[in-house]
Amino acid sequence: MNNDIFRHGGAIDLAAAHYNIALSQWLDLSTGINPTPYPVKGTNIAPETWQRLPLKRDTDAAICAARHYYDVGSVNHIACGPGTQALLQLVPFILAETDQVKRVAIFGPTYGEHAPAWERAHVTTTEIFATPDIRQTIVRNQPLAPTSRIKNAPANNAVSNFGWLGLTPVETLANIVNDHDAFVIVNPNNPDGGYFDRQSLFDFACYLQERGKYLILDEAFADTTPDLSLCPQIHHLTHTVILRSFGKFFGLAGARVGFALSHPALIAKISDRLGPWAVPGPALHIATAALGDDKWHHAMRTSLHLQANWLDQQLSKINGCKLIGGTDLLRLYQGEMLPALQKHLAQCGIWVRGFTQAPTWLRFGLPGTKENQNRLQTALESFCL
């Protein structure tokens, strides 16, 4: 099968072509996008919003709503861009141009676009593949460090429980910091859901800042666990960039809205590089309404948690399948039978996320509606080796 299908979730058109099942017949559970989106129809977008270029007040309104939603002291710490994908590709170039950032370490396994973004900016990139516990140990200043270019090491060095390559307890945290100028952490992590508590991550950010190092913190999945976010502390952090996704929690990935939070000087550079009209007016209008709807936020967090528990119950019925992590928007399972299950579900027109480097893993998004739950449950019950 074409590896492009497994590069990211959401490659539903490639799956449809491969399995010769019409695109309209698929249930896509391969992403971590909320299947119950914010009700766009209730946002009452004026017709002229579609006809004109976005006004400054449109962007300002969205940033003000983000300031409230992320609990940030000032709008000067926030930039609005066309999705976090665009922002995470932009930040490496801006930091590399300062001549302060020449080497970056990415804590993984995690979202696969971070490493290519830094490599495009000609920054030497090391991916630290480890379990969530080991990643937490590193951040909490324990004597562990990555081997060089871990992702290309021999397969017999893999950590068997996770199928990824581990760390060697050779160097101290100080050595890691000395060897790299910037660090990328996804909190909570995609796909395994590993997380760092706010205080530990804040201490790590300060530790790096004192040494002139940068922390790039991807909080794309933090909406369901807001207590983990460093956004409220961003005014203390001159060397931290936080990336926040709008599309995942609000279920509106097609709106292409995202936010970067950092020191005002760096935010000014990001905004300048984005240029005018970076986000369409209708998307800004929708984001402003959604970010300000506290009642919807609370109700959705409860609903997603219940849906995630339901999904765990269904997969627990498959012998040998175990939950190894996730968030309330995605769940990661491990089992020797999962490659066969992925194929079975695909033949039923249900697409879940496989991993070429960890073939015994499957990541499931939430089915959302009762109809979709019933369809998934039926497909799971018909699975047999």
Side-chain angles (χ1 to χ4, degrees):
M1 185 181 295
N2 190 328
N3 285 343
D4 285 345
I5 297 181
F6 297 111
R7 179 171 171 79
H8 298 294
I12 195 68
D13 54 342
L14 299 179
H18 181 84
Y19 287 96
N20 197 28
I21 299 174
L23 186 62
S24 61
Q25 301 302 309
W26 284 84
L27 171 59
D28 187 5
L29 304 182
S30 68
T31 76
I33 298 168
N34 184 353
T36 310
Y38 187 79
V40 174
K41 289 184 179 180
T43 58
N44 300 317
I45 300 175
E48 59 268 23
T49 304
W50 295 95
Q51 298 170 314
R52 69 189 179 203
L53 291 169
L55 301 177
K56 181 179 182 299
R57 70 185 185 192
D58 298 330
T59 302
D60 290 346
I63 290 176
C64 284
R67 187 200 67 79
H68 166 76
Y69 180 71
Y70 298 127
D71 193 19
V72 179
S74 169
V75 295
N76 294 329
H77 290 280
I78 306 173
C80 182
T84 48
Q85 177 62 42
L87 292 167
L88 73 83
Q89 292 184 165
L90 179 61
V91 169
F93 283 93
I94 292 176
L95 293 183
E97 288 172 357
T98 65
D99 290 328
Q100 294 177 302
V101 176
K102 298 183 182 298
R103 294 179 58 89
V104 64
I106 299 173
F107 287 56
T110 193
Y111 180 51
E113 288 298 322
H114 281 291
W118 288 93
E119 289 167 354
R120 290 188 200 103
H122 304 292
V123 176
T124 301
T125 304
T126 303
E127 296 182 67
I128 305 174
F129 289 168
T131 65
D133 287 345
I134 292 177
R135 294 197 299 265
Q136 289 180 17
T137 299
I138 296 172
V139 166
R140 290 169 182 165
N141 299 0
Q142 298 300 316
L144 292 169
T147 57
S148 178
R149 288 302 285 181
I150 288 176
K151 71 176 184 179
N152 293 326
N156 60 7
N157 290 333
V159 178
S160 60
N161 287 342
F162 278 73
W164 296 87
L165 301 175
L167 305 179
T168 305
V170 176
E171 303 172 2
T172 64
L173 177 64
N175 295 133
I176 302 176
V177 173
N178 288 338
D179 287 344
H180 298 89
D181 309 306
F183 293 79
V184 176
I185 291 179
V186 181
N187 191 47
N189 189 49
N190 168 24
D192 58 40
Y195 66 89
F196 304 89
D197 65 89
R198 179 183 285 176
Q199 187 61 53
S200 295
L201 207 50
F202 179 75
D203 291 343
F204 184 61
C206 292
Y207 182 93
L208 297 177
Q209 182 171 304
E210 290 169 359
R211 291 155 178 80
K213 314 290 184 176
Y214 286 86
L215 173 63
I216 291 76
L217 185 58
D218 182 345
E219 292 187 350
F221 289 96
D223 297 79
T224 58
T225 50
D227 289 345
L228 298 180
S229 175
L230 276 191
C231 290
Q233 281 76 42
I234 194 61
H235 59 287
H236 295 296
L237 302 171
T238 62
H239 284 57
T240 295
V241 181
I242 304 176
L243 303 174
R244 294 296 301 242
S245 168
F246 173 76
K248 293 180 177 62
F249 177 66
F250 292 97
L252 298 171
R256 307 313 303 141
V257 178
F259 297 92
L261 296 88
S262 189
H263 185 270
L266 185 52
I267 288 299
K269 291 182 179 180
I270 292 172
S271 298
D272 181 66
R273 188 66 63 88
L274 287 169
W277 318 306
V279 181
L284 291 169
H285 186 91
I286 292 168
T288 300
L291 290 166
D293 195 338
D294 292 343
K295 183 177 180 180
W296 188 90
H297 306 155
H298 295 305
M300 185 51 59
R301 289 186 184 109
T302 300
S303 175
L304 292 172
H305 184 68
L306 293 173
Q307 291 183 56
N309 286 341
W310 177 89
L311 189 59
D312 291 343
Q313 292 171 7
Q314 302 309 308
L315 271 295
S316 70
K317 299 174 184 177
I318 297 178
N319 188 36
C321 177
K322 65 177 181 179
L323 174 72
I324 58 172
T327 73
D328 282 345
L329 283 169
L330 54 83
R331 313 299 280 171
L332 183 66
Y333 304 95
Q334 183 184 43
E336 295 298 323
M337 82 301 299
L338 291 186
L341 177 61
Q342 196 272 342
K343 183 176 180 180
H344 168 75
L345 292 175
Q347 291 169 339
C348 297
I350 300 174
W351 192 234
V352 295
R353 172 76 156 90
F355 298 86
T356 55
Q357 290 180 295
T360 61
W361 285 6
L362 278 185
R363 192 189 72 188
F364 282 68
L366 305 179
T369 66
K370 185 64 176 177
E371 178 183 1
N372 288 343
Q373 285 184 336
N374 291 339
R375 180 177 173 183
L376 176 60
Q377 184 174 4
T378 298
L380 291 173
E381 289 173 350
S382 66
F383 173 66
C384 59
L385 291 174

Short mmCIF file of all heavy atoms in Angstrom, two decimals, residues 62-120:
data_model
loop_
_atom_site.label_atom_id
_atom_site.label_comp_id
_atom_site.label_asym_id
_atom_site.label_seq_id
_atom_site.Cartn_x
_atom_site.Cartn_y
_atom_site.Cartn_z
N ALA A 62 -10.94 38.23 16.34
CA ALA A 62 -10.55 36.83 16.54
C ALA A 62 -9.43 36.73 17.57
O ALA A 62 -9.43 35.82 18.43
CB ALA A 62 -10.13 36.21 15.22
N ILE A 63 -8.47 37.65 17.51
CA ILE A 63 -7.36 37.62 18.47
C ILE A 63 -7.86 37.95 19.88
O ILE A 63 -7.41 37.35 20.86
CB ILE A 63 -6.25 38.58 18.02
CG1 ILE A 63 -5.56 38.01 16.77
CG2 ILE A 63 -5.23 38.80 19.13
CD1 ILE A 63 -4.51 38.91 16.18
N CYS A 64 -8.80 38.86 19.99
CA CYS A 64 -9.39 39.17 21.31
C CYS A 64 -10.12 37.96 21.89
O CYS A 64 -10.03 37.66 23.09
CB CYS A 64 -10.34 40.35 21.21
SG CYS A 64 -9.53 41.96 21.08
N ALA A 65 -10.84 37.25 21.03
CA ALA A 65 -11.53 36.04 21.48
C ALA A 65 -10.52 34.98 21.90
O ALA A 65 -10.72 34.26 22.88
CB ALA A 65 -12.43 35.51 20.36
N ALA A 66 -9.41 34.88 21.15
CA ALA A 66 -8.36 33.93 21.51
C ALA A 66 -7.71 34.32 22.84
O ALA A 66 -7.37 33.45 23.65
CB ALA A 66 -7.31 33.88 20.41
N ARG A 67 -7.52 35.60 23.07
CA ARG A 67 -6.94 36.05 24.33
C ARG A 67 -7.78 35.56 25.51
O ARG A 67 -7.27 35.08 26.52
CB ARG A 67 -6.83 37.57 24.37
CG ARG A 67 -6.08 38.10 25.59
CD ARG A 67 -6.38 39.56 25.87
NE ARG A 67 -7.76 39.74 26.28
CZ ARG A 67 -8.22 39.48 27.50
NH1 ARG A 67 -7.41 39.00 28.44
NH2 ARG A 67 -9.48 39.67 27.79
N HIS A 68 -9.10 35.68 25.38
CA HIS A 68 -10.00 35.21 26.44
C HIS A 68 -9.95 33.68 26.55
O HIS A 68 -9.82 33.13 27.65
CB HIS A 68 -11.43 35.67 26.13
CG HIS A 68 -12.48 34.98 26.95
ND1 HIS A 68 -12.71 35.29 28.28
CD2 HIS A 68 -13.34 33.98 26.64
CE1 HIS A 68 -13.68 34.52 28.74
NE2 HIS A 68 -14.08 33.72 27.77
N TYR A 69 -10.03 33.01 25.42
CA TYR A 69 -10.11 31.54 25.42
C TYR A 69 -8.84 30.91 25.97
O TYR A 69 -8.89 29.94 26.73
CB TYR A 69 -10.38 31.05 24.00
CG TYR A 69 -10.48 29.55 23.87
CD1 TYR A 69 -11.57 28.87 24.37
CD2 TYR A 69 -9.48 28.83 23.22
CE1 TYR A 69 -11.68 27.48 24.25
CE2 TYR A 69 -9.57 27.44 23.08
CZ TYR A 69 -10.67 26.79 23.60
OH TYR A 69 -10.76 25.42 23.48
N TYR A 70 -7.67 31.46 25.60
CA TYR A 70 -6.39 30.90 26.05
C TYR A 70 -5.90 31.52 27.35
O TYR A 70 -4.83 31.16 27.84
CB TYR A 70 -5.33 31.09 24.96
CG TYR A 70 -5.66 30.38 23.66
CD1 TYR A 70 -5.66 31.07 22.45
CD2 TYR A 70 -6.00 29.03 23.64
CE1 TYR A 70 -5.97 30.43 21.25
CE2 TYR A 70 -6.32 28.38 22.46
CZ TYR A 70 -6.30 29.09 21.26
OH TYR A 70 -6.61 28.45 20.08
N ASP A 71 -6.67 32.45 27.90
CA ASP A 71 -6.35 33.09 29.19
C ASP A 71 -4.99 33.78 29.14
O ASP A 71 -4.11 33.55 29.96
CB ASP A 71 -6.38 32.05 30.32
CG ASP A 71 -6.37 32.69 31.70
OD1 ASP A 71 -6.68 33.89 31.81
OD2 ASP A 71 -6.04 31.98 32.68
N VAL A 72 -4.83 34.64 28.13
CA VAL A 72 -3.59 35.38 27.91
C VAL A 72 -3.80 36.84 28.32
O VAL A 72 -4.86 37.41 28.08
CB VAL A 72 -3.16 35.30 26.44
CG1 VAL A 72 -1.88 36.09 26.18
CG2 VAL A 72 -2.95 33.84 26.04
N GLY A 73 -2.79 37.44 28.92
CA GLY A 73 -2.94 38.78 29.46
C GLY A 73 -3.08 39.88 28.42
O GLY A 73 -3.73 40.89 28.67
N SER A 74 -2.46 39.71 27.24
CA SER A 74 -2.46 40.78 26.26
C SER A 74 -2.54 40.20 24.85
O SER A 74 -1.95 39.16 24.55
CB SER A 74 -1.19 41.63 26.39
OG SER A 74 -1.05 42.52 25.30
N VAL A 75 -3.25 40.92 23.97
CA VAL A 75 -3.33 40.50 22.57
C VAL A 75 -1.99 40.62 21.87
O VAL A 75 -1.78 40.03 20.80
CB VAL A 75 -4.38 41.33 21.80
CG1 VAL A 75 -5.77 41.07 22.35
CG2 VAL A 75 -4.04 42.82 21.84
N ASN A 76 -1.05 41.36 22.45
CA ASN A 76 0.26 41.52 21.83
C ASN A 76 1.07 40.22 21.83
O ASN A 76 2.11 40.14 21.16
CB ASN A 76 1.06 42.60 22.56
CG ASN A 76 0.45 43.98 22.40
OD1 ASN A 76 -0.16 44.27 21.37
ND2 ASN A 76 0.60 44.81 23.41
N HIS A 77 0.58 39.23 22.55
CA HIS A 77 1.26 37.93 22.60
C HIS A 77 0.69 36.95 21.59
O HIS A 77 1.11 35.78 21.58
CB HIS A 77 1.14 37.32 24.01
CG HIS A 77 1.93 38.03 25.06
ND1 HIS A 77 3.28 37.83 25.23
CD2 HIS A 77 1.55 38.95 25.98
CE1 HIS A 77 3.71 38.57 26.24
NE2 HIS A 77 2.69 39.27 26.71
N ILE A 78 -0.25 37.37 20.73
CA ILE A 78 -0.97 36.43 19.87
C ILE A 78 -0.91 36.86 18.41
O ILE A 78 -1.15 38.03 18.09
CB ILE A 78 -2.45 36.31 20.30
CG1 ILE A 78 -2.55 35.97 21.79
CG2 ILE A 78 -3.18 35.26 19.47
CD1 ILE A 78 -3.97 36.00 22.33
N ALA A 79 -0.63 35.90 17.53
CA ALA A 79 -0.76 36.09 16.09
C ALA A 79 -1.75 35.06 15.56
O ALA A 79 -1.79 33.93 16.04
CB ALA A 79 0.59 35.93 15.39
N CYS A 80 -2.51 35.46 14.56
CA CYS A 80 -3.50 34.58 13.94
C CYS A 80 -3.04 34.23 12.53
O CYS A 80 -2.69 35.12 11.75
CB CYS A 80 -4.86 35.26 13.91
SG CYS A 80 -6.19 34.24 13.22
N GLY A 81 -3.02 32.93 12.22
CA GLY A 81 -2.57 32.50 10.91
C GLY A 81 -3.50 31.46 10.30
O GLY A 81 -4.46 31.01 10.95
N PRO A 82 -3.22 31.05 9.06
CA PRO A 82 -4.07 30.10 8.35
C PRO A 82 -3.80 28.65 8.75
O PRO A 82 -3.36 27.83 7.95
CB PRO A 82 -3.72 30.35 6.88
CG PRO A 82 -2.29 30.78 6.92
CD PRO A 82 -2.14 31.56 8.19
N GLY A 83 -4.04 28.34 10.02
CA GLY A 83 -3.82 27.00 10.54
C GLY A 83 -2.45 26.85 11.18
O GLY A 83 -1.50 27.55 10.82
N THR A 84 -2.33 25.93 12.13
CA THR A 84 -1.05 25.73 12.80
C THR A 84 -0.01 25.11 11.86
O THR A 84 1.19 25.28 12.08
CB THR A 84 -1.21 24.85 14.04
OG1 THR A 84 -1.97 23.68 13.71
CG2 THR A 84 -1.91 25.60 15.15
N GLN A 85 -0.47 24.41 10.82
CA GLN A 85 0.51 23.86 9.88
C GLN A 85 1.33 24.97 9.24
O GLN A 85 2.56 24.87 9.13
CB GLN A 85 -0.21 23.05 8.80
CG GLN A 85 0.70 22.48 7.72
CD GLN A 85 1.73 21.50 8.26
OE1 GLN A 85 1.42 20.68 9.11
NE2 GLN A 85 2.96 21.60 7.78
N ALA A 86 0.67 26.04 8.82
CA ALA A 86 1.39 27.17 8.23
C ALA A 86 2.31 27.83 9.26
O ALA A 86 3.44 28.22 8.94
CB ALA A 86 0.40 28.19 7.68
N LEU A 87 1.84 27.94 10.49
CA LEU A 87 2.65 28.59 11.52
C LEU A 87 3.87 27.76 11.90
O LEU A 87 4.97 28.30 12.08
CB LEU A 87 1.78 28.85 12.76
CG LEU A 87 0.69 29.91 12.57
CD1 LEU A 87 -0.31 29.87 13.72
CD2 LEU A 87 1.31 31.30 12.45
N LEU A 88 3.69 26.44 12.03
CA LEU A 88 4.84 25.62 12.42
C LEU A 88 5.89 25.54 11.31
O LEU A 88 7.06 25.26 11.57
CB LEU A 88 4.40 24.24 12.88
CG LEU A 88 3.91 23.18 11.88
CD1 LEU A 88 5.07 22.42 11.24
CD2 LEU A 88 3.01 22.19 12.60
N GLN A 89 5.47 25.80 10.06
CA GLN A 89 6.44 25.88 8.97
C GLN A 89 7.15 27.23 8.93
O GLN A 89 8.27 27.33 8.43
CB GLN A 89 5.74 25.62 7.63
CG GLN A 89 5.24 24.21 7.47
CD GLN A 89 4.63 23.94 6.10
OE1 GLN A 89 4.43 22.81 5.72
NE2 GLN A 89 4.31 24.99 5.36
N LEU A 90 6.51 28.25 9.44
CA LEU A 90 7.06 29.60 9.42
C LEU A 90 8.07 29.84 10.54
O LEU A 90 9.12 30.45 10.33
CB LEU A 90 5.91 30.61 9.51
CG LEU A 90 6.26 32.09 9.52
CD1 LEU A 90 6.99 32.48 8.24
CD2 LEU A 90 4.99 32.92 9.70
N VAL A 91 7.76 29.36 11.74
CA VAL A 91 8.58 29.65 12.91
C VAL A 91 10.04 29.21 12.74
O VAL A 91 10.96 29.97 13.10
CB VAL A 91 7.94 29.02 14.18
CG1 VAL A 91 8.92 29.07 15.36
CG2 VAL A 91 6.65 29.76 14.53
N PRO A 92 10.34 28.02 12.20
CA PRO A 92 11.75 27.64 12.03
C PRO A 92 12.56 28.63 11.19
O PRO A 92 13.71 28.92 11.52
CB PRO A 92 11.67 26.27 11.35
CG PRO A 92 10.36 25.72 11.78
CD PRO A 92 9.44 26.90 11.83
N PHE A 93 11.96 29.16 10.13
CA PHE A 93 12.68 30.12 9.29
C PHE A 93 12.98 31.40 10.06
O PHE A 93 14.08 31.96 9.96
CB PHE A 93 11.87 30.43 8.03
CG PHE A 93 11.92 29.34 7.00
CD1 PHE A 93 10.95 28.36 6.96
CD2 PHE A 93 12.96 29.29 6.07
CE1 PHE A 93 11.00 27.35 6.01
CE2 PHE A 93 13.02 28.29 5.11
CZ PHE A 93 12.03 27.31 5.08
N ILE A 94 12.01 31.86 10.84
CA ILE A 94 12.20 33.10 11.60
C ILE A 94 13.31 32.92 12.64
O ILE A 94 14.19 33.78 12.80
CB ILE A 94 10.88 33.53 12.26
CG1 ILE A 94 9.88 33.97 11.19
CG2 ILE A 94 11.12 34.66 13.26
CD1 ILE A 94 8.51 34.33 11.74
N LEU A 95 13.29 31.79 13.35
CA LEU A 95 14.31 31.57 14.38
C LEU A 95 15.67 31.28 13.76
O LEU A 95 16.71 31.70 14.29
CB LEU A 95 13.89 30.42 15.28
CG LEU A 95 12.66 30.68 16.16
CD1 LEU A 95 12.38 29.49 17.06
CD2 LEU A 95 12.84 31.94 17.00
N ALA A 96 15.69 30.58 12.63
CA ALA A 96 16.98 30.29 11.98
C ALA A 96 17.65 31.55 11.47
O ALA A 96 18.89 31.65 11.45
CB ALA A 96 16.76 29.31 10.83
N GLU A 97 16.86 32.54 11.07
CA GLU A 97 17.42 33.79 10.55
C GLU A 97 18.13 34.60 11.62
O GLU A 97 18.93 35.48 11.29
CB GLU A 97 16.31 34.63 9.92
CG GLU A 97 15.79 34.06 8.60
CD GLU A 97 14.58 34.80 8.09
OE1 GLU A 97 14.10 35.71 8.79
OE2 GLU A 97 14.10 34.46 7.00
N THR A 98 17.87 34.32 12.89
CA THR A 98 18.51 35.06 13.97
C THR A 98 19.94 34.57 14.22
O THR A 98 20.68 35.19 14.99
CB THR A 98 17.73 34.91 15.28
OG1 THR A 98 17.78 33.53 15.70
CG2 THR A 98 16.27 35.32 15.10
N ASP A 99 20.31 33.44 13.58
CA ASP A 99 21.62 32.79 13.79
C ASP A 99 21.76 32.23 15.21
O ASP A 99 22.84 31.78 15.60
CB ASP A 99 22.78 33.75 13.52
CG ASP A 99 22.91 34.06 12.03
OD1 ASP A 99 22.59 33.17 11.22
OD2 ASP A 99 23.34 35.18 11.70
N GLN A 100 20.67 32.25 15.97
CA GLN A 100 20.72 31.67 17.31
C GLN A 100 20.29 30.21 17.31
O GLN A 100 20.58 29.47 18.24
CB GLN A 100 19.80 32.46 18.27
CG GLN A 100 20.26 33.88 18.52
CD GLN A 100 19.28 34.63 19.40
OE1 GLN A 100 18.10 34.78 19.09
NE2 GLN A 100 19.77 35.09 20.54
N VAL A 101 19.57 29.80 16.27
CA VAL A 101 19.03 28.44 16.23
C VAL A 101 19.61 27.71 15.03
O VAL A 101 19.28 28.01 13.88
CB VAL A 101 17.49 28.47 16.15
CG1 VAL A 101 16.95 27.05 16.01
CG2 VAL A 101 16.90 29.14 17.39
N LYS A 102 20.49 26.76 15.33
CA LYS A 102 21.13 25.95 14.29
C LYS A 102 20.83 24.46 14.46
O LYS A 102 20.97 23.69 13.52
CB LYS A 102 22.64 26.18 14.28
CG LYS A 102 23.03 27.63 13.96
CD LYS A 102 24.54 27.78 13.89
CE LYS A 102 24.92 29.24 13.63
NZ LYS A 102 24.40 29.73 12.34
N ARG A 103 20.44 24.07 15.68
CA ARG A 103 20.12 22.66 15.95
C ARG A 103 18.85 22.59 16.78
O ARG A 103 18.71 23.33 17.75
CB ARG A 103 21.27 21.96 16.70
CG ARG A 103 22.56 21.84 15.90
CD ARG A 103 23.65 21.16 16.72
NE ARG A 103 23.22 19.83 17.17
CZ ARG A 103 23.40 18.71 16.46
NH1 ARG A 103 24.00 18.78 15.28
NH2 ARG A 103 23.02 17.55 16.92
N VAL A 104 17.96 21.70 16.39
CA VAL A 104 16.70 21.53 17.11
C VAL A 104 16.51 20.07 17.49
O VAL A 104 16.90 19.17 16.74
CB VAL A 104 15.51 22.03 16.26
CG1 VAL A 104 15.35 21.19 15.00
CG2 VAL A 104 14.20 22.01 17.07
N ALA A 105 15.93 19.83 18.65
CA ALA A 105 15.57 18.49 19.10
C ALA A 105 14.05 18.41 19.19
O ALA A 105 13.40 19.29 19.77
CB ALA A 105 16.19 18.18 20.46
N ILE A 106 13.48 17.36 18.61
CA ILE A 106 12.03 17.16 18.59
C ILE A 106 11.70 15.94 19.44
O ILE A 106 12.19 14.84 19.18
CB ILE A 106 11.52 16.97 17.15
CG1 ILE A 106 11.84 18.22 16.32
CG2 ILE A 106 10.02 16.68 17.14
CD1 ILE A 106 11.54 18.06 14.84
N PHE A 107 10.86 16.14 20.44
CA PHE A 107 10.47 15.05 21.33
C PHE A 107 9.35 14.25 20.65
O PHE A 107 8.26 14.77 20.42
CB PHE A 107 9.98 15.60 22.66
CG PHE A 107 11.06 16.14 23.56
CD1 PHE A 107 11.93 17.13 23.12
CD2 PHE A 107 11.21 15.65 24.85
CE1 PHE A 107 12.92 17.64 23.94
CE2 PHE A 107 12.21 16.15 25.68
CZ PHE A 107 13.07 17.14 25.23
N GLY A 108 9.62 12.99 20.37
CA GLY A 108 8.65 12.18 19.67
C GLY A 108 8.57 10.77 20.22
O GLY A 108 9.14 10.49 21.28
N PRO A 109 7.90 9.89 19.49
CA PRO A 109 7.28 10.09 18.18
C PRO A 109 6.11 11.06 18.26
O PRO A 109 5.34 11.03 19.21
CB PRO A 109 6.80 8.69 17.79
CG PRO A 109 6.58 8.00 19.11
CD PRO A 109 7.65 8.52 20.02
N THR A 110 5.99 11.91 17.25
CA THR A 110 4.96 12.93 17.30
C THR A 110 4.54 13.32 15.88
O THR A 110 4.86 12.62 14.91
CB THR A 110 5.45 14.15 18.10
OG1 THR A 110 4.35 14.99 18.40
CG2 THR A 110 6.54 14.92 17.37
N TYR A 111 3.83 14.41 15.78
CA TYR A 111 3.32 14.88 14.50
C TYR A 111 4.46 14.99 13.48
O TYR A 111 5.47 15.66 13.73
CB TYR A 111 2.63 16.23 14.69
CG TYR A 111 2.06 16.84 13.43
CD1 TYR A 111 1.22 16.12 12.59
CD2 TYR A 111 2.36 18.16 13.08
CE1 TYR A 111 0.69 16.68 11.44
CE2 TYR A 111 1.84 18.73 11.94
CZ TYR A 111 1.01 17.99 11.13
OH TYR A 111 0.49 18.56 9.97
N GLY A 112 4.28 14.36 12.33
CA GLY A 112 5.38 14.17 11.40
C GLY A 112 5.82 15.37 10.60
O GLY A 112 6.83 15.30 9.89
N GLU A 113 5.13 16.51 10.72
CA GLU A 113 5.51 17.69 9.94
C GLU A 113 6.49 18.60 10.66
O GLU A 113 7.03 19.53 10.04
CB GLU A 113 4.27 18.48 9.54
CG GLU A 113 3.42 17.81 8.47
CD GLU A 113 4.18 17.61 7.16
OE1 GLU A 113 4.96 18.50 6.79
OE2 GLU A 113 4.00 16.56 6.54
N HIS A 114 6.73 18.37 11.94
CA HIS A 114 7.67 19.25 12.65
C HIS A 114 9.08 19.11 12.10
O HIS A 114 9.75 20.10 11.80
CB HIS A 114 7.64 18.96 14.14
CG HIS A 114 6.48 19.56 14.85
ND1 HIS A 114 6.35 20.92 15.03
CD2 HIS A 114 5.37 19.00 15.42
CE1 HIS A 114 5.22 21.18 15.69
NE2 HIS A 114 4.62 20.03 15.93
N ALA A 115 9.56 17.88 11.99
CA ALA A 115 10.94 17.68 11.52
C ALA A 115 11.17 18.24 10.12
O ALA A 115 12.15 18.97 9.90
CB ALA A 115 11.30 16.20 11.58
N PRO A 116 10.31 17.95 9.13
CA PRO A 116 10.53 18.52 7.80
C PRO A 116 10.54 20.05 7.80
O PRO A 116 11.27 20.67 7.01
CB PRO A 116 9.36 17.97 6.97
CG PRO A 116 8.97 16.71 7.65
CD PRO A 116 9.19 16.98 9.12
N ALA A 117 9.73 20.66 8.66
CA ALA A 117 9.69 22.12 8.70
C ALA A 117 11.04 22.70 9.11
O ALA A 117 11.51 23.69 8.54
CB ALA A 117 8.60 22.59 9.67
N TRP A 118 11.69 22.09 10.10
CA TRP A 118 13.00 22.57 10.53
C TRP A 118 14.08 22.25 9.50
O TRP A 118 15.00 23.05 9.28
CB TRP A 118 13.36 21.97 11.89
CG TRP A 118 12.53 22.56 12.99
CD1 TRP A 118 11.35 22.07 13.48
CD2 TRP A 118 12.80 23.77 13.70
NE1 TRP A 118 10.87 22.91 14.47
CE2 TRP A 118 11.74 23.95 14.62
CE3 TRP A 118 13.82 24.71 13.66
CZ2 TRP A 118 11.69 25.04 15.50
CZ3 TRP A 118 13.77 25.79 14.53
CH2 TRP A 118 12.72 25.94 15.43
N GLU A 119 13.95 21.10 8.87
CA GLU A 119 14.93 20.73 7.85
C GLU A 119 14.85 21.67 6.65
O GLU A 119 15.88 22.00 6.04
CB GLU A 119 14.71 19.28 7.45
CG GLU A 119 15.13 18.30 8.55
CD GLU A 119 14.63 16.89 8.32
OE1 GLU A 119 13.87 16.67 7.35
OE2 GLU A 119 15.00 15.99 9.11
N ARG A 120 13.65 22.11 6.30
CA ARG A 120 13.52 23.08 5.20
C ARG A 120 14.23 24.38 5.52
O ARG A 120 14.71 25.07 4.62
CB ARG A 120 12.04 23.36 4.92
CG ARG A 120 11.28 22.21 4.29
CD ARG A 120 9.88 22.64 3.88
NE ARG A 120 9.01 21.49 3.72
CZ ARG A 120 8.09 21.11 4.59
NH1 ARG A 120 7.90 21.81 5.70
NH2 ARG A 120 7.35 20.04 4.36
#
